[in-house]
């Protein structure tokens, strides 16, 4: 054999390759709205997102409302920063409507996760979002493949349970309340709880009230929703269609009334309210509070001190924003849901692809590429809604 035939032959060898992907940054600015005490991420949730490759920047003391210190987030890998730096991230989480000044400090084309609050939005805020081409997603409008709304449903469940918890505390107040137990004891008739609506918040409130031993009545226009509630709660609740005479009698004898929203919205006038018990505890768990009981003064549980929420005069009021009274529980629930959603977005290789692939996410988009793609948001600024599918097809 010749020396040339004995020389080694070069072969292909596998080489390690890597694809560089920019880490998406998440900003957590402090919420300046005192009526919104809930926070989108707990330290545990933030740590899981950091492990998934996100960079999280949080404004100093942003989580004070849920009683988490900054060092808890720092141990989870979150970078503490000034407000401007948290607003300049790729993704900003801010549950309450943002001010125009804060929106102008956001990165052009950034993504904003917030709650859908058309009644609290101003034309200045919407125009600022459109000018900065902010992709605004209302998390409580997000749906999954089965039609469930993960953010809205968990917040509704918290609202229902929080309302009963607070009602029991108010009734037991021996100074300003009646000094009675919600469920009573042996030989004493328990309190009556009237729930208007048969959705998730209504079922959560009814279940909690039943567990405390109260008598519960549930009313709704939709018999099918009542039937579903009966399958969920059992025969311990009295279910009824919303007949005016029967509902009026239930309101007159109720110690606690919880309105969770039905369509069309009933309006209980001052005469109906005057016929109710003195010291009755009334909750409105809807986003547009005050429509069902327009004659009652609202008491925001996120703003009121313990002295403010104990009724002296007037003897009746309507308590709103029950979920913000248990802001830490809400933060834990939101954090779990955000982890799942952001993981799906990453797997879709970007928010635009996620919107295109996931119809439930598409319905939650309010502003996109400088245009209002939600009818309610477009009406605030007096322009016509643009179909988001036009931009998704062209992009």
């Amino acid at each position: 054999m010749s020396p040339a035939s004995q020389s080694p032959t070069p072969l292909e060898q596998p080489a390690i390759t890597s694809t560089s992907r920019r880490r998406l940054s998440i900003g957590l600015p402090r919420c300046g709205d005192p009526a919104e005490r809930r926070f989108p991420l707990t330290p545990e949730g933030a740590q899981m997102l950091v492990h998934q490759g996100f960079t999280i920047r949080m404004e100093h003391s942003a989580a004070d409302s849920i009683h988490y210190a900054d060092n808890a987030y720092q141990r989870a890998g979150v970078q503490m920063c000034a407000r401007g730096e948290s607003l300049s991230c790729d993704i900003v989480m801010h549950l309450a409507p943002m001010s125009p000044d804060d929106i102008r400090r956001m990165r052009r084309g950034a993504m904003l996760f917030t709650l859908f609050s058309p009644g609290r939005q101003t034309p200045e805020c919407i125009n600022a979002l459109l000018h900065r081409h902010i992709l605004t997603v209302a998390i409580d409008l997000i749906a999954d493949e089965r039609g469930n709304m993960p953010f809205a449903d968990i917040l509704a469940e918290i609202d229902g349970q929080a309302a009963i918890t607070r009602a029991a505390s108010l009734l037991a107040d021996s100074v300003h309340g009646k000094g009675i137990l919600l469920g009573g004891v042996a030989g004493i008739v328990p309190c009556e709880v009237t729930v208007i609506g048969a959705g998730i918040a209504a079922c959560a409130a009814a279940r909690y009230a039943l567990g405390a031993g109260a008598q519960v009545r549930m009313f709704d226009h939709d018999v099918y929703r009542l039937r579903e509630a009966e399958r969920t709660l059992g025969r311990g609740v009295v279910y009824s269609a919303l007949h005016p005479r029967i509902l009026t009698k239930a309101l007159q004898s109720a110690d606690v009334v919880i309105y969770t929203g039905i369509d069309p919205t009933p309006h209980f006038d001052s005469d109906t309210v005057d016929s109710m018990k003195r010291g009755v505890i009334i909750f409105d768990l809807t986003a547009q509070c005050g429509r069902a009981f327009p004659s009652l003064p609202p008491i925001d549980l996120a703003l009121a001190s313990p002295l403010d929420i104990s009724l002296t005069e007037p003897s009746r009021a309507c308590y709103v924003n029950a979920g913000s009274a248990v802001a830490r529980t809400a933060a834990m629930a939101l954090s779990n849901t955000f982890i799942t959603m952001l993981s799906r977005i990453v797997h879709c290789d970007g928010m635009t692809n996620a919107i295109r692939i996931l119809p439930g996410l598409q319905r939650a988009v309010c502003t996109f590429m400088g245009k209002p793609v939600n009818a309610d948001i477009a009406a605030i600024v007096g322009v016509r809604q643009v179909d988001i599918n036009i931009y998704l097809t062209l992009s």
Side-chain angles (χ1 to χ4, degrees), residues 166 299-309 319:
R166 186 50 60 94
I299 296 180
D300 193 325
L301 292 173
L303 302 174
S305 67
L307 291 178
D308 294 332
I309 64 175
Y319 296 95

Side-chain angles (χ1 to χ4, degrees), residues 102-113:
D102 282 341
I103 295 172
R104 296 185 189 101
R105 299 168 72 181
M106 292 179 64
R107 184 177 63 81
R108 185 177 178 84
M111 190 187 314
L112 172 64
F113 288 120

Side-chain angles (χ1 to χ4, degrees), residues 6-343:
Q6 298 178 359
S7 62
T9 303
L11 300 175
E12 295 181 354
Q13 295 292 327
I16 298 176
T17 60
S18 62
T19 302
S20 62
R21 176 180 293 177
R22 188 173 68 87
R23 293 167 62 95
L24 287 174
S25 58
I26 299 175
L28 300 173
R30 184 185 182 93
C31 183
D33 187 348
E36 183 54 79
R37 300 183 57 81
R38 296 168 294 188
F39 196 69
L41 286 180
T42 61
E44 295 81 4
Q47 185 176 44
M48 294 180 69
L49 290 175
V50 170
H51 289 165
Q52 291 182 21
F54 291 94
T55 299
I56 302 180
R57 300 187 179 97
M58 188 177 88
E59 182 183 359
H60 294 285
S61 303
D64 282 356
S65 61
I66 57 172
H67 304 289
Y68 275 117
D70 288 351
N71 56 11
Y73 285 89
Q74 287 178 309
R75 289 194 297 269
V78 176
Q79 303 173 15
M80 308 308 298
C81 62
R83 185 172 185 82
E85 191 173 352
S86 67
L87 290 170
S88 63
C89 293
D90 303 310
I91 302 170
V92 175
M93 296 181 179
H94 194 276
L95 301 181
M98 298 186 68
S99 67
D101 290 339
D102 282 341
I103 295 172
R104 296 185 189 101
R105 299 168 72 181
M106 292 179 64
R107 184 177 63 81
R108 185 177 178 84
M111 190 187 314
L112 172 64
F113 288 120
T114 186
L115 290 172
F116 187 62
S117 307
R120 301 173 59 193
Q121 297 281 3
T122 64
E124 292 76 17
C125 292
I126 302 301
N127 285 324
L129 291 170
L130 299 177
H131 179 72
R132 298 295 297 169
H133 282 224
I134 303 298
L135 172 55
T136 309
V137 179
I139 59 173
D140 46 337
L141 298 183
I142 295 175
D144 61 16
E145 296 83 356
R146 295 168 293 179
N148 301 317
M149 305 179 74
F151 287 95
D153 291 348
I154 191 63
L155 292 178
E157 185 175 359
I158 291 171
D159 286 345
Q161 295 193 17
I164 294 297
T165 301
R166 186 50 60 94
S169 175
L170 292 170
L171 288 172
D173 188 334
S174 60
V175 178
H176 301 294
K178 293 183 177 182
I180 60 176
L181 290 173
L182 181 66
V185 293
I188 299 177
V189 176
C191 291
E192 295 183 18
V193 177
T194 295
V195 181
I196 304 173
I200 290 178
C203 289
R207 184 185 299 108
Y208 231 54
L210 280 176
Q215 295 179 345
V216 182
R217 293 183 174 90
M218 180 177 289
F219 295 85
D220 200 294
H221 288 304
D222 192 334
V223 176
Y224 286 95
R225 289 218 305 176
L226 288 172
R227 187 176 292 120
E228 180 63 30
E230 183 178 2
R231 283 196 291 265
T232 302
L233 301 172
R235 293 297 184 95
V237 176
V238 177
Y239 306 92
S240 174
L242 214 157
H243 296 294
R245 182 176 59 84
I246 299 176
L247 177 59
T248 299
K249 286 187 176 182
L251 292 175
Q252 290 171 350
S253 62
D255 298 285
V256 179
V257 176
I258 298 180
Y259 175 70
T260 63
I262 54 177
D263 190 26
T265 302
H267 297 279
F268 303 104
D269 56 24
S270 58
D271 292 337
T272 302
V273 172
D274 290 341
S275 68
M276 298 167 68
K277 285 183 178 179
R278 182 179 178 85
V280 62
I281 309 299
I282 303 173
F283 286 86
D284 188 340
L285 304 186
T286 62
Q288 296 178 323
C289 304
R291 296 178 61 185
F293 296 92
S295 64
L296 289 177
I299 296 180
D300 193 325
L301 292 173
L303 302 174
S305 67
L307 291 178
D308 294 332
I309 64 175
S310 297
L311 289 179
T312 52
E313 291 294 335
S315 63
R316 303 178 188 89
C318 184
Y319 296 95
V320 302
N321 205 5
S324 283
V326 288
R328 185 156 171 160
T329 296
M332 294 176 182
L334 288 171
S335 188
N336 292 338
T337 315
F338 267 120
I339 292 169
T340 303
M341 185 195 66
L342 289 173
S343 298

